[in-house]
């Protein structure tokens, strides 16, 4: 679908509100929501050309939609990517990537601190189809190099990670992947293109859960891959057509409008997260804070280079306790004492959301696996929203000051 005619070299702020498909004949200022599953064809010849891919034009809702195309064009512009293709959720974007790029006998290298469902999809579900995988420590570049095999086709990293905000060196991983003849994909959910554009550091594919900061207000599920036009057209679009993990037009419209405020939300939420991280670091009931914006973070310098000098909106902290049992009780007490902030495992909302990773996202791990992942019973993850910082502090103090 043709993009709206815009001058070259526009800034990202402008593209975030202007990039879309052409307006309809009605001249709507807000992008139209096209709720249609089929498209009337101008002629049988044109229909045949469209189905053959020889002519632009919509044919069927599973293959494409103008509202969905607007979201893809806008996201690609923000990531500095040649093209994007969207999906019904973040996980289905990962599935599309794997189905498009891998076959039985191929090998994938991932960080072992990836999103839990990603580890399950690649480590277990794809293993049933003969795809091998190796999981390595997020920040150990040598371990990524050592994991390469002759059949390695894909590196998949996520930075910063959930919930410990570990940062990996995108440029270094891209170099290792390319040297091995593999592609590097980066899950950019936490930083978003407002802060981090992985393709500028050599990544080949950027994966998104639109459910998080792209929507930004916790309303709809969405996913996307940004990549070269060749990867999108030749590897991913055929999977979408046959497997049908299509993004619904309504959800695409919500996320498209979310992108208009992504930058100011990320700036405002990151500023609050930094102030809260500094406050928590000095709090008498807090043992440790994980946040890339703090100089105490092990990859602080790298994070500042990769993430536009910003730590992002997610942090995690550990409550002080004498043992794991007491730590769990105290973390639960903090969460149960909240009266404003939400106890909710989602992230990427204007409302501040808190979660207890050890009993939710990492609840299915054995104690040993959890320890390896660094997820203790006292750990609380906080995805900072837009409430006033004093109100956020007061809500946390309700529990933190009454153990
Ligand atoms: C939520 C999330 C996903 C999965 O996205 P869904 O839209 O929930 O399918 C993948 N990666 C990260 C880092 C996430 O936070």
């Amino acid at each position: 679908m043709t993009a709206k005619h815009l001058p070259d070299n526009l800034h990202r702020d402008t593209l975030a509100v202007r990039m879309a498909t052409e307006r309809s004949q009605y001249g709507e200022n807000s992008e139209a929501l096209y709720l249609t599953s089929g498209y009337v064809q101008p002629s049988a010849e044109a229909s045949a050309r469209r189905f053959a891919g020889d002519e632009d034009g919509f044919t069927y809702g599973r293959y494409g939609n103008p509202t969905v195309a607007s979201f893809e064009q806008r996201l690609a512009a923000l990531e500095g990517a040649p093209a994007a293709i969207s999906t019904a959720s973040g996980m289905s974007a990962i599935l599309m990537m794997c189905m498009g790029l891998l076959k039985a006998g191929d090998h994938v290298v991932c960080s072992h601190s990836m999103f839990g469902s990603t580890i399950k999809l690649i480590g277990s579900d794809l293993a049933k189809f003969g795809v091998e995988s190796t999981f390595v420590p997020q920040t150990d570049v040598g371990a990524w190099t050592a994991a390469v095999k002759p059949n390695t086709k894909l590196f998949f990293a996520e930075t910063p990670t959930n919930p410990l905000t570990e940062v990996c060196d995108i440029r270094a991983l891209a170099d290792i992947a390319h040297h091995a003849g593999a592609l590097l994909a980066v899950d950019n959910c936490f930083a978003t293109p407002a802060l981090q554009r992985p393709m500028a550091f050599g990544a080949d594919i950027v994966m998104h859960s639109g459910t998080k900061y792209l929507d930004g207000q916790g309303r709809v599920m969405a996913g996307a891959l940004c990549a070269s036009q060749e990867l999108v057209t030749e590897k991913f679009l055929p999977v979408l057509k046959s497997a049908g993990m299509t993004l619904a037009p309504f959800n695409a419209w919500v996320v498209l409008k979310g992108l208009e405020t992504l930058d100011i939300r990320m700036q405002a939420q990151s500023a609050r997260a930094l102030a809260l991280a500094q406050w928590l670091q000095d709090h008498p009931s807090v043992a440790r804070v994980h946040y890339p914006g703090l100089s105490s973070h092990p990859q602080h310098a790298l994070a500042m280079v990769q993430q536009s000098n910003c730590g992002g909106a997610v942090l995690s902290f550990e409550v002080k306790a004498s043992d794991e049992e007491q730590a769990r009780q105290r973390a639960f007490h903090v969460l149960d004492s909240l009266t404003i902030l939400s106890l909710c495992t989602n992230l990427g909302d204007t409302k501040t959301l808190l979660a207890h990773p050890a009993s939710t996202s990492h609840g299915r791990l054995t104690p040993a696996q959890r320890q390896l992942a660094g997820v203790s019973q006292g750990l609380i993850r906080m995805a900072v929203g837009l409430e006033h910082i004093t109100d956020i502090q007061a809500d946390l103090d309700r529990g933190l000051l009454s153990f």
Side-chain angles (χ1 to χ4, degrees):
M1 180 71 179
T2 47
K4 197 154 62 178
H5 187 72
L6 292 170
D8 291 340
N9 300 325
L10 289 179
H11 294 85
R12 289 174 51 259
D13 291 358
T14 308
L15 294 169
V17 294
R18 294 285 171 183
M19 191 62 169
T21 52
E22 286 289 2
R23 286 197 175 98
S24 80
Q25 70 271 36
Y26 301 115
E28 67 282 348
N29 186 47
S30 172
E31 293 77 12
L33 167 52
Y34 292 95
L35 285 180
T36 182
S37 44
Y39 302 86
V40 178
Q41 302 299 304
S43 69
E45 277 297 339
S47 169
R49 283 195 301 273
R50 288 177 182 188
F51 270 93
D54 296 334
E55 176 182 305
D56 264 358
F58 294 103
T59 53
Y60 182 55
R62 181 167 11 100
Y63 299 0
N65 172 285
T67 310
V68 172
S70 283
F71 165 60
E72 293 167 346
Q73 290 172 11
R74 190 170 287 180
L75 180 64
L78 294 186
E79 281 288 358
I85 184 163
S86 55
T87 52
S89 67
M91 290 318 301
S92 58
I94 301 175
L95 179 63
M96 174 198 271
M97 173 171 79
C98 293
M99 286 181 71
L101 297 179
L102 304 171
K103 59 180 188 324
D106 287 345
H107 174 243
V108 186
V109 186
C110 282
S111 150
H112 63 45
S113 33
M114 301 288 283
F115 186 65
S117 300
T118 306
I119 294 180
K120 171 127 195 344
L121 178 65
I122 292 177
S124 316
D125 298 325
L126 286 179
K128 286 195 300 194
F129 298 93
V131 173
E132 289 177 48
S133 51
T134 305
F135 292 87
V136 297
Q138 168 85 351
T139 55
D140 183 349
V141 175
W144 290 79
T145 312
V148 170
K149 300 192 200 183
N151 54 344
T152 303
K153 293 288 159 51
L154 182 67
F155 271 33
F156 190 21
E158 178 187 316
T159 183
T161 56
N162 171 33
L164 296 180
T165 70
E166 291 174 312
V167 173
C168 68
D169 186 335
I170 300 173
R171 170 74 66 195
L173 296 190
D175 289 346
I176 301 163
H178 295 160
H179 187 71
L183 298 177
L184 171 67
V186 174
D187 179 332
N188 202 24
C189 287
F190 271 55
T192 84
L195 307 184
Q196 171 174 276
R197 291 170 291 283
M199 291 181 83
F201 297 100
D204 303 285
I205 301 160
V206 178
M207 175 260 147
H208 273 289
S209 163
T211 319
K212 311 292 167 55
Y213 291 99
L214 307 189
D215 170 8
Q217 292 169 68
R219 299 165 295 192
V220 298
M221 307 286 301
L225 300 175
C226 299
S228 66
Q229 188 66 58
E230 188 188 347
L231 280 178
V232 167
T233 313
E234 288 172 21
K235 301 290 184 188
F236 305 142
L237 184 60
V239 177
L240 180 79
K241 287 183 168 180
S242 55
M245 56 279 275
T246 309
L247 178 60
F250 177 77
N251 293 6
W253 184 81
V254 171
V255 184
L256 171 74
K257 303 309 278 181
L259 288 181
E260 296 184 4
T261 55
L262 177 66
D263 208 83
I264 55 171
R265 281 187 283 106
M266 288 308 290
Q267 296 298 336
Q269 292 177 220
S270 298
R272 281 164 176 74
L274 176 60
L276 285 164
Q278 287 164 340
W279 174 75
L280 285 165
Q281 195 167 233
D282 296 331
H283 198 288
S285 303
V286 173
R288 195 163 164 202
V289 181
H290 305 269
Y291 183 64
L294 291 177
S295 50
S296 58
H297 187 283
Q299 298 96 38
H300 172 67
L302 173 64
M304 293 301 99
V305 172
Q306 279 182 179
Q307 301 175 200
S308 318
N309 268 315
C310 226
V314 179
L315 60 88
S316 59
F317 62 95
E318 289 161 39
V319 295
K320 269 188 194 157
S322 50
D323 56 46
E324 282 286 277
E325 181 56 38
Q326 188 187 52
R328 182 180 173 99
Q329 274 169 14
R330 290 186 165 185
F332 278 25
H333 176 71
V334 171
L335 296 170
D336 289 337
S337 303
L338 299 172
T339 62
I340 308 163
L341 311 179
S342 311
L343 174 56
C344 181
T345 49
N346 194 16
L347 62 101
D349 202 312
T350 46
K351 296 178 170 66
T352 296
L353 312 178
L354 287 94
H356 183 249
S359 62
T360 57
S361 52
H362 295 69
R364 281 184 294 174
L365 303 184
T366 63
Q369 285 174 321
R370 241 194 326 270
Q371 201 179 11
L372 195 68
V375 176
S376 66
Q377 292 292 343
L379 187 76
I380 293 175
R381 184 190 75 191
M382 178 155 70
V384 180
L386 286 176
E387 297 93 343
H388 195 284
I389 185 142
T390 312
D391 295 334
I392 300 177
Q393 288 167 333
D395 215 27
L396 291 171
D397 266 345
R398 256 179 268 283
L400 282 174
L401 297 180
S402 61
F403 291 149

